[in-house]
Amino acid sequence: MTAVREATPEGRYGRTEDQRADRRLKIIGASLGVVLLGVVAWIGFDYVGGKGISAEVIKSKIVSDTRAEVHLEVRKDRDGGGYCTLRALSEDGREVARRDFRFDQPSDRIDDVVTLRTTSRATAVELMGCTAGGGSSR
């Protein structure tokens, strides 16, 4: 004769360990799902309603020991304004010039050459970033 194992009567002895683990996993999964949904919403909002300014250095040219020229392209809202910060670096990485390029032209694309006066010979020019709104004068 084979022994038949019967389950305990449901609800008589409380929850089993498996049921507790399942409930815990469901809570953890739901919490992680909410966090993931929040991160996706935040990234989407930032992408759609971002600052609206993007810029890039097309090319740079070291003209002399005291001057560097930068071809800068800025894309923005037609009516928006702001400024971009550029800096020139020497061979050893020191900053030898810094300039804020202000723009408020009624155009969505600005293509301009900016001159930086340096304290010594520059070897590289980099775009630090752009900010919408007020700032330094050109």
Side-chain angles (χ1 to χ4, degrees):
M1 200 149 88
T2 55
V4 177
R5 183 174 174 162
E6 291 186 28
T8 57
E10 209 170 299
R12 185 169 181 180
Y13 299 106
R15 291 187 169 168
T16 63
E17 286 297 317
D18 289 342
Q19 289 172 328
R20 285 189 204 109
D22 288 346
R23 184 167 189 263
R24 230 177 276 142
L25 285 175
K26 286 178 187 177
I27 291 171
I28 290 171
S31 300
L32 290 175
V34 168
V35 168
L36 179 64
L37 187 62
V39 167
V40 168
W42 179 68
I43 290 172
F45 178 76
D46 189 50
Y47 179 77
V48 171
K51 63 182 176 178
I53 296 177
S54 68
E56 72 177 303
V57 172
I58 304 299
K59 66 179 180 177
S60 63
K61 180 179 177 184
I62 309 305
V63 179
S64 69
D65 286 345
T66 60
R67 224 175 65 173
E69 291 181 350
V70 181
H71 181 183
L72 182 67
E73 181 181 84
V74 179
R75 295 186 185 274
K76 64 178 187 67
D77 295 334
R78 178 168 287 285
D79 298 326
Y83 66 97
C84 291
T85 304
L86 298 161
R87 76 175 181 170
L89 302 171
S90 66
E91 188 173 0
D92 62 357
R94 284 183 306 113
E95 184 177 292
V96 293
R98 182 181 287 248
R99 176 153 184 218
D100 290 334
F101 169 71
R102 176 122 179 89
F103 50 87
D104 54 5
Q105 297 91 328
S107 173
D108 58 352
R109 184 174 169 268
I110 298 169
D111 207 350
D112 206 352
V113 175
V114 180
T115 302
L116 282 83
R117 294 179 59 186
T118 62
T119 57
S120 64
R121 186 159 189 87
T123 56
V125 179
E126 71 177 354
L127 175 66
M128 299 293 293
C130 295
T131 305
S136 298
S137 62
R138 185 176 182 187

